[in-house]
Amino acid sequence: MRGLFLSLPPFAPDYSGIGAVFLELGAMIVIHDGTGCIGNYICHDEPRGERPGNMVFTTNLREMEVVMGDDEALLEKVTRAAADLDPRMIVLVNTPAPIVIGTDLRALARILEKRTGKPVLYFDSNGIRMYDWGVEKALLAAVERFAAEDAVACAPGGVAVLGATPLDLGGADNGEALRASVERSSGKHCAVIGMGGGERSLGTAAAAELNLVVSAAAVPAARWCEKTFGVPWIADFPAGISGERRLGECIRQRLSGSRTTQMAETGPGPRALVIHEQVTANAVRACLQEEFGFGQVEVATFFQFREELAQPGDQRLCEELELEEKANTGRYDVILADRFLHDVMRYSGAKLVDLPHLAVCEVMFYPDGFSLAGEAFTAYLKDQLGQ
Amino acid sequence: MRNPPRYLTMQELSQIPLQAGRYTRIIPGRHLKYVAPGVDGLGLSSFSLLLPESAVLFIAPAGCARHVKMRAFAIGKADRLFLLRVTEEELVTGTHLARIPEAVEEILKRAKERPKAIFIGSSCVDTILASDYERVCRDLSRRFPDVRFHPSYMDPIMFDSKKSPDSRIHCSLYSFVEKQPERDQGVNLLGPAAPLDENADLPRLLAAAGFGPVRQMCRCRCLMEADEMGRSRLNLAMGGPVKMAAEQLKAAHGTPYLLVPPTHDPELVHGFYEKLGQALGAVLDDGEELAKARRRLSAAAEICRGKRIVVGKNYFGSPFETAKALLEYGFTVTTVVKNKITPKDKAVIAWLAERAPGMRVYSGDHPTLNHLREEHEPADLVIGSDAAYFYPEARAILQDGDRLHVCYQAIAYLADGLAGEEMRV
């Protein structure tokens, strides 16, 4: 039945994606909700939740404010907090309840800019869409507003990583693991925007030699940076030892002006299905084919699906039933997906391998120390595949 | 340039005028709310699924269901909680309600164990839209006569109203208990999700006077056992959110109720046992337990001499009452963490203001508390998970999530924790 999740957990919602982008950029993130939505984000979707000084708050929306249309409550609360905490910017995040009553965050953002003297961004998230929508909108708005300004303080050159959030990368330390991996593979300095790159890291997207897009949601921001600053971009992720090597070659090719993408040739090896965010899943596919001798590997995702990044057989999933039908065809020898998706695929006949995805399993269940980048991921796959 | 974490002294708190309405915020003026990581959800999965042979169908935007379902995974009950995701168009047109019967049919066909009772859960948006889930449940009962249905609510926007979601979740849970033709000498303990500890004084003192069993929903293994709660002659309601459920049972079954005081004060516990005896028409002899509790607190105070204690709100009982009880026995309480006060708190605050006027009171949800952890304020012992979060270097005494300690045993548990049990966060 459409919309019915019997086994699958609900995935991280759009407002979690927005929070994940802005958390390390000096923003005061204000979630306009009754407390449930902020709890979802800060307690379940954000492994950096205990960082001192995080400025993530709820407006604590209540019935009477809704019924009376009391927008002044939000204005008063945010203005007070801005005076107390002096944030770099304010980010207003909408949620289902105020969306349903037509709260005009755009107008409120304008009023707040005048009252606080701070830049104010707003997002009409609704808790119905998923985190990738939030990451896309947040990242695009952030680079449009701040990349030029922050670029002044950034060293030119190197690689800037766009689209890195714990929702795809996992643990709070994985931004650093990704940075190290990219630097090893490219021989260039690297800044991971929003995950360890610093409060002004948005400027690196304008100042870099190349932008590395590590999630499909970051493609619009990368395109904008290419159009505005002339910074080229590629979509890839250094999954496994082969991934680091391939990434280095892709970066060198792209910087030399080439636009071709390397794709591993499909051989006669075992067949697999990879379910994750699209760019990550593509990288895992390449790792399976190059390092582990897999043949046909298909990618499926519940999140953003870009045709330009897809290969034949890849698919966007929307419903639990679609996952069940895709997986339980008996076509795959191995299926790599977050373990919270495994129950639906229990009749697939395939070996089910846990490919943790925080946007699915949440902070509590994400394995400590797991990383998709570089040698650590190769070691993990060797262990899981029994090789 | 940011401002330091804001607080009031107990003296200042005693002087703030109470606002009209249910509560007054510690820090005056409307402010954003800070949510410390680790805060638990409302309990739609924790409490509703206490009902054996039941399931929850939650109809909501997918995001709203996230923590509900993940909490169900954490407590091993995910196979009893289902989500019907709604779109914006469906919410606005109300067509999502028409899809519920089909979803229920699917659940009854495909659930690992066919439920005999189903909670139909809704979120803030349905509250705003005034969706009639009572009617939905009546229709479902007609269509599936062998299954019991009741609505349940997870709508945090209603927290300031009398029908707050934590109250209504409990009302929904206990509304499944069927009235029974005969009563026995049993007593129900309504509220907590954890079972009573085996050494609890409450069932022991009741048994000595010829009363029992002490029934709890979490101990029922099937719906029939849950219905046996309808035989009990008295309900004991633990915690403010359960009071409405107790009143509901009184109206529906005629079962009287008593509130169990959330206290660590031996004298108040003794007062409760006196009232309980009067309600049952018996004398409950708690003299020995009372004396033991007093000795235990005194001994713990001696061991903790000079240690600075912070009392948070994420622990059984009012932090003001706990601070008072500890001060009376000679402990040193330096700080209390509490977001709001009610008229019931006025007397204890006045008492504290007189004896410890400089005691700090932090509002745990004020935005400036986002950097209290960095301040490294001095504290040796903290009570409650919120206080433990703000004072990470102090030794923490946390609520036992697996076993319920109440009355004199709650005092013993706290005293032992303060005196010597290591319970790091």
Side-chain angles (χ1 to χ4, degrees):
Chain A
M1 179 188 170
R2 180 181 61 79
L4 183 63
F5 271 16
L6 292 175
S7 293
L8 294 187
F11 306 133
D14 46 12
Y15 48 78
S16 290
I18 296 164
V21 166
F22 281 106
L23 190 76
E24 293 187 24
L25 299 180
M28 183 165 83
I29 300 165
V30 179
I31 299 181
H32 191 29
D33 81 314
T35 315
C37 302
I38 189 176
N40 274 328
Y41 167 53
I42 205 68
C43 301
H44 296 269
D45 290 338
E46 186 50 84
R48 303 166 295 180
E50 291 188 5
R51 273 174 20 125
N54 277 344
M55 290 185 282
V56 184
F57 307 112
T58 168
T59 56
N60 209 29
L61 183 65
R62 289 294 178 255
E63 183 196 15
M64 287 314 293
E65 288 168 27
V66 168
V67 165
M68 304 301 284
D70 184 8
D71 288 333
E72 183 58 35
L74 180 152
L75 295 170
E76 196 180 314
K77 291 174 186 178
V78 175
T79 305
R80 274 209 170 101
D84 273 333
L85 297 172
D86 192 25
R88 184 194 172 192
M89 67 179 96
I90 299 169
V91 174
L92 300 181
V93 183
N94 228 338
T95 62
I99 280 275
V100 155
I101 59 167
T103 298
D104 187 352
L105 276 197
R106 184 179 175 203
L108 294 174
R110 277 195 187 145
I111 295 171
L112 278 170
E113 282 206 347
K114 290 192 179 124
R115 286 195 191 182
T116 63
K118 306 279 181 192
V120 180
L121 303 177
Y122 71 94
F123 299 94
D124 280 325
S125 34
N126 62 10
I128 294 171
R129 289 181 288 253
M130 290 181 286
Y131 79 100
D132 52 295
W133 182 95
V135 171
E136 178 188 329
K137 299 297 179 198
L139 203 47
L140 182 58
V143 292
E144 284 176 345
R145 188 82 182 250
F146 296 105
E149 176 188 324
D150 289 353
V152 170
C154 291
V159 176
V161 176
L162 278 167
T165 68
L167 290 162
D168 292 320
L169 262 62
D173 297 333
N174 283 357
E176 172 54 31
L178 176 59
R179 185 199 61 75
S181 183
V182 173
E183 285 188 353
R184 269 195 307 272
S185 69
S186 66
K188 296 179 182 295
H189 72 81
C190 169
V192 180
I193 295 170
M195 268 191 93
E199 256 186 42
R200 304 273 164 169
S201 56
L202 285 165
T204 59
E209 279 181 83
L210 178 127
N211 282 329
L212 173 62
V213 164
V214 294
S215 67
V219 169
R223 285 198 175 123
W224 185 86
C225 289
E226 184 174 33
K227 190 173 108 180
T228 310
F229 306 114
V231 179
W233 62 275
I234 58 171
D236 204 345
F237 189 94
I241 295 170
S242 58
E244 273 190 13
R245 188 178 56 241
R246 186 191 67 254
L247 178 63
E249 285 162 19
C250 287
I251 289 173
R252 280 184 283 281
Q253 280 191 358
R254 187 70 179 93
L255 287 176
S256 69
S258 166
R259 275 192 179 262
T260 57
T261 331
Q262 284 188 329
M263 280 169 46
E265 292 181 11
T266 303
R271 297 174 60 114
L273 173 65
V274 180
I275 305 173
H276 207 281
E277 183 283 322
Q278 190 182 24
V279 172
T280 313
N282 284 349
V284 171
R285 168 175 33 213
C287 181
L288 288 171
Q289 289 172 331
E290 289 177 42
E291 289 186 58
F292 294 90
F294 274 73
Q296 178 77 20
V297 180
E298 291 171 5
V299 157
T301 183
F302 279 97
F303 311 109
Q304 279 202 18
F305 183 80
R306 296 192 172 269
E307 289 295 341
E308 65 268 36
L309 301 178
Q311 290 183 23
D314 292 357
Q315 185 180 341
R316 169 113 204 277
L317 303 169
C318 296
E319 299 290 340
E320 182 173 306
L321 195 57
E322 289 174 18
L323 173 63
E324 209 176 319
E325 286 170 354
K326 172 90 177 159
N328 296 338
T329 53
R331 284 172 45 210
Y332 306 107
D333 300 298
V334 179
I335 300 178
L336 296 93
D338 188 281
R339 63 188 171 95
F340 281 89
L341 308 183
H342 288 190
D343 190 54
V344 171
M345 303 185 288
R346 60 191 184 277
Y347 301 121
S348 63
K351 179 179 173 62
L352 299 177
V353 172
D354 185 20
L355 185 63
H357 191 180
L358 198 141
V360 174
C361 68
E362 74 114 293
V363 170
M364 193 180 4
F365 296 107
Y366 195 86
D368 280 339
F370 176 80
S371 171
L372 288 155
E375 196 178 340
F377 186 60
T378 295
Y380 174 79
L381 282 185
K382 274 188 179 153
D383 181 61
Q384 292 293 308
L385 297 172
Q387 294 192 12
Chain B
M1 182 68 181
R2 66 173 189 216
N3 287 333
R6 288 190 65 184
Y7 66 91
L8 295 183
T9 63
M10 198 58 76
Q11 175 70 25
E12 288 167 339
L13 183 64
S14 68
Q15 287 163 357
I16 67 169
L18 287 180
Q19 290 167 15
R22 294 175 71 215
Y23 63 82
T24 302
R25 291 208 162 270
I26 301 280
I27 303 295
R30 300 197 278 194
H31 60 76
L32 292 177
K33 180 174 170 171
Y34 171 65
V35 173
V39 132
D40 261 344
L42 276 174
L44 181 60
S45 37
S46 303
F47 289 105
S48 300
L49 292 175
L50 286 178
L51 184 73
E53 302 183 286
S54 73
V56 173
L57 170 61
F58 192 40
I59 298 109
C64 303
R66 182 143 167 86
H67 69 273
V68 176
K69 181 77 178 194
M70 301 321 284
R71 178 88 184 120
F73 274 113
I75 59 176
K77 295 181 181 176
D79 55 352
R80 293 165 56 198
L81 192 141
F82 311 101
L83 166 65
L84 180 61
R85 294 177 307 162
V86 298
T87 65
E88 208 168 329
E89 293 76 14
E90 283 173 337
L91 282 171
V92 169
T93 57
T95 47
H96 59 299
L97 299 180
R99 301 182 61 220
I100 294 173
E102 188 189 345
V104 168
E105 191 149 0
E106 198 69 14
I107 288 167
L108 293 175
K109 247 193 306 189
R110 298 185 56 179
K112 286 185 179 146
E113 283 185 35
R114 192 175 193 277
K116 294 182 180 167
I118 299 183
F119 295 87
I120 306 294
S122 63
S123 68
C124 293
V125 283
D126 270 314
T127 301
I128 293 169
L129 297 169
S131 301
D132 188 352
Y133 276 82
E134 298 274 353
R135 182 189 63 76
V136 167
C137 287
R138 281 196 299 273
D139 291 346
L140 288 169
S141 296
R142 276 193 288 272
R143 183 163 161 173
F144 306 99
D146 60 328
V147 181
R148 305 185 207 178
F149 294 93
H150 276 286
S152 193
Y153 306 90
M154 198 199 72
D155 48 1
I157 58 164
M158 297 296 287
F159 260 125
D160 285 2
S161 78
K162 280 187 187 161
K163 293 188 176 182
S164 67
D166 46 353
S167 292
R168 290 198 292 168
I169 283 170
H170 287 286
C171 284
S172 181
L173 171 63
Y174 294 107
S175 62
F176 280 94
V177 174
E178 304 255 313
K179 189 173 178 179
Q180 300 299 314
E182 284 168 12
R183 291 200 188 275
D184 59 20
Q185 299 293 73
V187 169
N188 292 330
L189 187 58
L190 310 180
L196 268 175
D197 184 86
E198 60 219 6
N199 295 317
D201 42 276
L202 177 65
R204 198 160 17 90
L205 291 176
L206 283 170
F211 296 96
V214 175
R215 294 184 170 107
Q216 284 182 273
M217 187 63 82
C218 58
R219 287 194 182 275
C220 298
R221 291 162 300 179
C222 62
L223 214 45
M224 271 177 55
E225 282 187 16
D227 285 337
E228 288 292 296
M229 293 180 78
R231 290 191 185 284
S232 295
R233 55 182 294 169
L234 180 71
N235 285 326
L236 299 177
M238 262 194 77
V242 195
K243 187 179 171 196
M244 201 158 90
E247 283 173 353
Q248 181 181 273
L249 284 168
K250 185 176 178 186
H253 297 184
T255 310
Y257 72 91
L258 262 188
L259 296 177
V260 179
T263 183
H264 295 94
D265 185 334
E267 315 311 317
L268 292 180
V269 173
H270 175 63
F272 161 70
Y273 274 120
E274 282 185 335
K275 274 194 209 155
L276 178 55
Q278 282 161 16
L280 295 172
V283 172
L284 300 178
D285 184 8
D286 68 329
E288 198 182 315
E289 301 286 345
L290 173 62
K292 255 198 261 177
R294 287 169 177 158
R295 281 196 303 270
R296 216 150 182 167
L297 273 175
S298 297
E302 190 55 41
I303 292 169
C304 296
R305 187 177 291 281
K307 289 193 178 163
R308 298 155 296 192
I309 300 173
V310 175
V311 185
K313 70 173 185 56
N314 286 5
Y315 194 85
F316 172 67
S318 153
F320 295 122
E321 295 280 357
T322 301
K324 175 174 179 279
L326 292 177
L327 282 175
E328 280 177 325
Y329 277 83
F331 292 89
T332 306
V333 179
T334 58
T335 307
V336 163
V337 182
K338 185 84 164 80
N339 301 350
K340 34 199 187 200
I341 59 175
T342 67
K344 279 191 275 190
D345 296 319
K346 260 308 210 183
V348 66
I349 290 172
W351 189 98
L352 288 168
E354 203 180 324
R355 283 164 184 73
M359 186 187 294
R360 288 189 179 191
V361 184
Y362 279 113
S363 179
D365 63 356
H366 193 266
T368 53
L369 255 72
N370 75 327
H371 49 271
L372 180 56
R373 260 164 84 99
E374 295 171 75
E375 301 291 318
H376 302 290
E377 282 189 0
D380 301 298
L381 299 163
V382 295
I383 300 170
S385 58
D386 53 338
Y389 177 76
F390 291 124
Y391 297 86
E393 286 104 10
R395 182 160 68 78
I397 295 89
L398 303 176
Q399 195 83 55
D400 185 344
D402 296 324
R403 283 275 172 256
L404 176 65
H405 302 98
V406 70
C407 298
Y408 292 116
Q409 201 192 30
I411 297 171
Y413 185 81
L414 178 63
D416 289 352
L418 288 168
E421 267 182 53
E422 288 285 326
M423 290 177 76
R424 292 233 168 256
V425 176

